[in-house]
């Protein structure tokens, strides 16, 4: 049940102190519950040294015999969260997005390419994902998420290794991005969140947040790592290092820990439940006839453009604002740190409050960041504040889409429906860096692009408020 305000019951009657202390107690209670939930989740994730026998976390939804408590969900599903976290962090959703700006200055000096030409690699990836993401979702529904994830991690790692041998050929550069996006589509959150959603129900929002922290962890570690590798060994070694991450981390962890609930029987309190024949929710054809489907799709394209356009260009934006490269190196990892906070706090909020309202608040905040970055000279403190707001919103964007998909359309065709939404989101996110780079090349400033984004973000975030209450799915 959603909490309700009790303002009609508590009147100040000229006693501001009572209102103040009541508000303070309420905030303190919420903060205490948040810390308690996060502590419980982390404790359960680390409690068992060996992956337990899989149990349907969504037993009622999937036709099982009993419903698990939130505590049981984390105890039995911690290995799914760990594998999803590392798989997503080493995949297509994180690596190109967080590292394109790191390599851009080196490629420009080496080959004389413009920022727009370099960032077009992300746009190529987006165009390919339009077809590859839904295909990966369909494969997950037909053969399962585990084989899709493993094969894609291998191919994606090999694609990044090939970038280390790059020569002065833009067609080859673009072709490598296209191949990596095609074969690496199974590393997208579509694959991993499908399984997480099936293991978790009571704390689904927090579980999705924990799984998606992989992108934030990668964002924190990749830039200092690449700064050291590129500084000592060159940009080619940087691409080689990134290519090893899916092969040496993502693949082994997925092989060892990642499992579908259907790969074993469930035993809860001595009762065995077999995999049901059908999941609840809408089919893809039913979903596309729903107005909510098209509303979400229409929101995702522009808001992803506005949110994602600045991040790969963050280094040149800060340089234009008079911040020196050494300071920039300390600021850019804040994106990853803030995104982890956004995922955890956002996931906790999704479990307790109406998800569209949470999306409106958290995804609307980067408007402030865009206005700050569009100004003149920046000091590091204001730059840090702007980066933290953007990172916090980026930390919840995939979680919101995954959560809305499961709550409004169910799990029957989750991967296929989420795949279409991911295409919408990645379309805006892919064209955003390119358009930002082109505007920079034309105006010699990112300010016009940032001002456009500041107008788009609050309007699109408000669109989520029209979704209405969660439907009852059968």
């Amino acid at each position: 049940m959603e909490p309700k305000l009790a303002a009609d019951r508590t009147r100040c009657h000229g006693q501001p102190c009572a209102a103040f202390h009541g508000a303070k107690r309420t905030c303190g209670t919420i903060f205490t519950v948040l810390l308690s939930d996060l502590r419980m989740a982390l404790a359960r994730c680390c409690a068992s040294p060996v992956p337990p026998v899989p149990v349907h976390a969504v037993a009622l939804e999937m036709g099982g015999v009993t419903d698990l408590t939130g505590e049981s969900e984390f105890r039995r599903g911690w290995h799914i969260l760990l594998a999803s976290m590392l798989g997503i962090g080493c995949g297509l959703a994180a690596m190109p997005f967080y590292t394109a700006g790191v390599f851009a200055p080196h490629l420009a000096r080496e080959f004389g390419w413009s920022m727009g030409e370099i960032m077009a690699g992300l746009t190529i990836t987006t165009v390919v994902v339009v077809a590859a993401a839904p295909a990966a979702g369909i494969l997950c529904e037909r053969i399962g998420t585990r084989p899709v994830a493993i094969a894609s991690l291998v191919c994606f790692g090999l694609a990044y290794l090939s970038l280390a041998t790059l020569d002065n050929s833009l067609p080859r550069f673009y072709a490598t991005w296209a191949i990596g996006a095609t074969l690496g589509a199974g590393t997208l959150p579509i694959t991993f969140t499908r399984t997480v959603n099936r293991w978790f129900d009571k704390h689904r929002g927090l579980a999705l947040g924990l799984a998606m922290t992989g992108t934030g962890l990668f964002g924190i570690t990749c830039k200092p790592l690449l700064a050291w590798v590129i500084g000592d060994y060159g940009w080619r070694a940087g691409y080689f290092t990134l290519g090893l991450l899916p092969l040496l981390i993502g693949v082994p962890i997925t092989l060892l820990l990642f499992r579908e609930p259907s790969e074993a029987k469930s035993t809860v309190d001595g009762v065995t439940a077999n995999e049901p024949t059908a999941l609840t929710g809408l089919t893809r054809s039913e979903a596309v006839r729903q107005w909510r489907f098209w509303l979400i799709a229409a929101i995702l394209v522009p808001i992803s453009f506005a949110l994602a356009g600045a991040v790969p260009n963050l280094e040149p934006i800060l340089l234009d604002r008079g911040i020196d490269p050494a300071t920039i190196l300390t600021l850019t990892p804040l994106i990853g740190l803030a995104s982890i906070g956004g995922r955890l706090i956002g996931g906790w909020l999704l479990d307790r409050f109406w998800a569209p309202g949470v999306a409106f608040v958290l995804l609307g905040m980067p408007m402030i960041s865009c206005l700050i970055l569009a100004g003149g000279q920046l000091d590091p403190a204001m730059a840090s504040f702007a980066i933290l707001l953007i990172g916090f919103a980026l930390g919840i964007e995939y979680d919101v889409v995954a959560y809305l998909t499961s709550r409004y359309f169910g799990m029957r065709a989750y991967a296929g429906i989420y795949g279409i939404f991911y295409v919408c989101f990645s379309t805006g996110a892919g064209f955003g860096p390119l358009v930002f780079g082109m505007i920079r090349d034309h105006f010699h400033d990112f300010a016009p692009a940032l001002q456009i984004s500041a107008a788009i973000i609050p309007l699109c975030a408000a669109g989520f408020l029209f979704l209405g209450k969660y439907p009852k799915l059968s």
Side-chain angles (χ1 to χ4, degrees):
M1 181 180 296
E2 294 183 7
K4 297 182 179 179
L5 294 176
D8 56 329
R9 302 179 184 176
T10 307
R11 304 294 183 184
C12 288
H13 298 297
Q15 300 179 20
C17 282
F20 170 78
H21 290 299
K24 187 170 73 172
R25 284 194 299 271
T26 301
C27 294
T29 301
I30 293 175
F31 185 69
T32 302
V33 174
L34 171 59
L35 291 179
S36 175
D37 278 14
L38 291 178
R39 185 165 55 249
M40 182 197 75
L42 293 174
R44 294 303 173 188
C45 286
C46 302
S48 175
V50 180
V53 177
V55 179
H56 292 312
V58 286
L60 288 179
E61 179 186 55
M62 297 174 63
V65 296
T66 185
D67 190 19
L68 297 175
T69 66
E71 185 174 321
S72 298
E73 286 181 344
F74 284 108
R75 184 173 66 249
R76 291 184 167 94
W78 68 266
H79 57 295
I80 300 300
L81 296 181
L82 179 60
S84 299
M85 181 190 304
L86 295 177
I88 292 172
C90 295
L92 185 59
M95 286 177 61
F97 188 64
Y98 281 108
T99 63
V102 177
F103 288 98
H106 301 281
L107 297 177
R109 284 195 298 269
E110 181 86 10
F111 303 124
W113 299 340
S114 69
M115 282 292 178
E117 290 173 329
I118 295 169
M119 291 302 172
L122 293 180
T123 305
I124 297 293
T125 300
T126 298
V127 172
V128 173
V129 164
V130 168
I138 293 171
L139 279 176
C140 289
E141 293 173 357
R142 293 184 178 178
I143 67 175
T145 55
R146 187 168 178 263
V148 173
I150 292 170
S152 288
L153 283 166
V154 172
C155 295
F156 186 66
L158 294 176
Y160 253 87
L161 290 178
S162 71
L163 286 173
T165 65
L166 193 65
D167 55 16
N168 189 9
S169 172
L170 270 175
R172 181 189 170 187
F173 181 64
Y174 295 152
T176 304
W177 283 113
I179 294 170
T182 302
L183 301 180
T187 68
L188 293 170
I190 300 166
T191 303
F192 294 97
T193 60
R194 180 179 187 267
T195 299
V196 171
N197 270 306
R198 295 180 66 189
W199 280 80
F200 292 84
D201 182 43
K202 181 178 177 61
H203 289 292
R204 180 176 293 175
L206 182 57
L208 288 169
L210 287 167
M212 295 290 289
T213 54
T215 57
L217 291 173
F218 180 82
I220 291 173
T221 58
C222 73
K223 296 196 176 184
L225 173 65
L226 289 176
W228 166 62
V229 173
I230 294 174
D232 288 357
Y233 304 102
W235 63 267
R236 295 183 188 276
Y239 276 128
F240 186 82
T241 301
L242 292 181
L244 292 178
L245 296 180
L247 299 175
L248 300 183
I249 297 177
V251 171
I253 291 295
T254 304
L255 281 169
L256 290 172
L257 301 181
F258 195 64
R259 293 288 187 277
E260 288 269 26
S262 58
E263 293 180 12
K265 293 182 178 181
S266 301
T267 303
V268 182
D269 296 332
V271 183
T272 300
N274 293 321
E275 174 72 7
T277 56
L279 305 178
T280 60
L282 307 179
T283 64
R284 281 188 299 275
S285 60
E286 291 171 339
V288 298
R289 292 196 294 270
Q290 298 284 321
W291 64 268
R292 288 186 177 95
F293 175 91
W294 293 106
L295 176 60
I296 295 173
I299 291 170
L300 291 178
V301 175
I303 201 169
S304 63
F305 169 89
L307 288 173
V311 175
N313 292 292
L314 192 56
E315 287 86 352
I317 289 175
L318 296 178
L319 283 172
D320 285 351
R321 297 297 172 260
I323 298 179
D324 62 275
T327 303
I328 291 174
L329 184 62
T330 66
L331 294 177
T332 50
L334 293 176
I335 283 278
L337 182 64
S339 71
I340 292 176
R343 295 196 191 288
L344 297 179
I345 297 174
W348 181 85
L349 292 172
L350 289 173
D351 286 331
R352 282 159 178 77
F353 300 96
W354 184 49
V358 175
F360 167 66
V361 174
L362 298 186
L363 295 180
M365 292 190 303
M367 174 193 69
I368 301 171
S369 300
C370 293
L371 292 176
I372 292 173
L373 295 175
Q377 294 291 309
L378 272 181
D379 61 81
M382 289 299 294
S384 299
F385 178 70
I387 291 170
L388 287 172
L389 288 182
I390 293 176
F392 197 89
L394 288 173
I396 196 178
E397 85 286 19
Y398 291 129
D399 308 41
V400 164
V401 177
Y403 194 89
L404 293 177
T405 302
S406 68
R407 292 305 186 199
Y408 283 101
F409 306 103
M411 294 302 300
R412 179 178 297 176
Y414 171 86
I417 297 170
Y418 184 70
I420 298 172
F421 286 152
Y422 191 88
V423 166
C424 297
F425 194 93
S426 62
T427 298
F431 281 95
L434 172 65
V435 174
F436 269 57
M438 293 173 65
I439 290 175
R440 170 64 175 80
D441 292 337
H442 182 76
F443 292 100
H444 305 288
D445 193 356
F446 285 100
L450 291 164
Q451 290 164 353
I452 293 171
S453 297
I456 290 173
I457 288 172
L459 293 176
C460 292
F464 287 112
L465 300 176
F466 293 95
L467 286 174
K469 64 181 182 179
Y470 303 139
K472 292 183 178 180
L473 302 170
S474 59

